[in-house]
Amino acid sequence: MASEITYAEVKFKNESPAPVVKVPPETKKPEHHPQKYPLWLPWSISLLLLLVCFALVVILLVVPFCHSTDQPTALQQQFSDWRCDSAVPQGTARGWTCCPKGWRRFQRSCYFLSSDMMNWAESEQNCTGMGSQLVVINSNEEQVFLSMLIKQPPKRENFYIGLFAEKVGKWQWVDKTPYNVTAAFWRKGEPSDYLDENCTVMHVPEKSLNNWNDVKSDFMHHRICEAAAVTV
C-alpha cells in the first residue's frame, strides 16, 4: 500500500524577516500656474478705455456741432469758442442751443453788446463781419430782454440797432423785416424826423420800455449785433 504524503506549514523562529525597503516620499513639485495674461495687457486696456472716452466726447460734442447744419453758418465760421445750454423749446429734435462765448442768448438768437463805439455804417459792417447783423427787434419780449441787458455793467449810453430811414419817416430794418409802427418803442417825442437823424439807438438811461431815439448816422455809439443761435 502506497504511503500518503502529508504537507504541513512550518515557521522557523530564526528566519530573518523580509527586508523593508523604504521609499523616499515623493517630493511634491510646486504647482506652476501659467500666467493668464501678458504684463502689457492692463496698460492696453487702460489706453483703450481712454480712447473710447475721448471718442465719446468727440461724438457727443464736436461731431453734432460740426454737422448741426448742412453748411456752417457765417457765425460758426467766425467763432471757435462756444457756450451751449439745453434750454430749447419742447419737441425739438436737438438738445443744445449755442452762442459764441461772450454773446448772450434769448430764445433762438444770440446778441453781442460792443464795448467800443463806431458810427452806424461801421457798426453794421462790424456785425456783418462777425456773421451777424445789427439787431432787429421783433417782439415786446425781445425789447424787454434787451432793455435789461443794456443796463448791465459796464455803463454805456446808446446802442445802435438795425432800424434806419433812407427817406424821412420811411423806417426799415436791415434784414428787410417790415417796419410796424404799432410795435415800435420810441421815446416820447421821437422820432423827430429830422433829415439827418436817420438811424436808431436804444437809449440806456431811459427808464421806460420806450427807449428808441433817432440820431445822426455819423455819431459814435455802441452797437448790438444779432445772429441766429446754433442748435445741436
Side-chain angles (χ1 to χ4, degrees):
M1 180 177 180
S3 59
E4 294 182 359
I5 301 174
T6 303
Y7 297 92
E9 291 183 3
V10 178
K11 292 185 179 180
F12 300 95
K13 292 182 179 181
N14 295 329
E15 182 179 2
S16 299
V20 178
V21 179
K22 294 184 178 180
V23 179
E26 182 179 355
T27 304
K28 188 176 182 182
K29 295 182 180 181
E31 293 183 6
H32 177 69
H33 296 285
Q35 189 171 333
K36 295 182 180 180
Y37 50 81
L39 293 175
W40 52 263
L41 187 58
W43 295 99
S44 299
I45 293 175
S46 299
L47 179 61
L48 180 61
L49 290 174
L50 182 62
L51 291 175
V52 169
C53 292
F54 179 76
L56 287 175
V57 171
V58 172
I59 292 172
L60 293 175
L61 298 179
V62 179
V63 173
F65 184 81
C66 293
H67 296 281
S68 59
T69 56
D70 294 335
Q71 294 294 332
T73 65
L75 193 68
Q76 285 176 266
Q77 294 174 357
Q78 294 297 323
F79 296 93
S80 58
D81 197 359
W82 292 71
R83 180 179 177 181
C84 302
D85 60 64
S86 59
V88 295
Q90 293 290 333
T92 55
R94 293 166 176 164
W96 296 91
T97 302
C98 305
C99 289
K101 189 174 181 179
W103 293 52
R104 295 291 299 272
R105 187 183 69 82
F106 176 71
Q107 295 179 348
R108 298 178 182 229
S109 293
C110 302
Y111 300 89
F112 171 77
L113 276 65
S114 73
S115 58
D116 61 335
M117 295 189 294
M118 298 178 177
N119 62 38
W120 194 90
E122 292 170 340
S123 296
E124 172 60 11
Q125 185 177 9
N126 178 265
C127 291
T128 302
M130 293 192 295
S132 60
Q133 64 185 14
L134 280 174
V135 63
V136 175
I137 300 173
N138 296 307
S139 67
N140 185 79
E141 292 78 13
E142 188 176 18
Q143 172 70 9
V144 170
F145 169 77
L146 292 174
S147 296
M148 294 176 61
L149 190 61
I150 61 177
K151 293 182 183 299
Q152 295 181 3
K155 186 177 181 180
R156 289 160 285 190
E157 186 169 357
N158 291 308
F159 286 87
Y160 275 124
I161 64 175
L163 185 65
F164 69 101
E166 290 185 346
K167 297 180 180 180
V168 176
K170 301 294 182 181
W171 296 97
Q172 58 182 319
W173 292 103
V174 291
D175 68 346
K176 308 302 181 183
T177 296
Y179 169 71
N180 183 359
V181 67
T182 62
F185 299 90
W186 295 105
R187 296 176 67 197
K188 186 176 181 179
E190 302 292 345
S192 56
D193 285 336
Y194 289 140
L195 183 61
D196 56 351
E197 292 187 352
N198 59 344
C199 296
T200 309
V201 295
M202 295 182 74
H203 187 58
V204 179
E206 177 63 51
K207 295 181 179 180
S208 73
L209 192 61
N210 296 326
N211 55 16
W212 296 2
N213 190 39
D214 58 341
V215 296
K216 295 180 180 181
S217 62
D218 57 351
F219 282 8
M220 304 292 282
H221 296 298
H222 300 285
R223 62 196 172 276
I224 304 176
C225 301
E226 177 186 14
V230 175
T231 55
V232 297

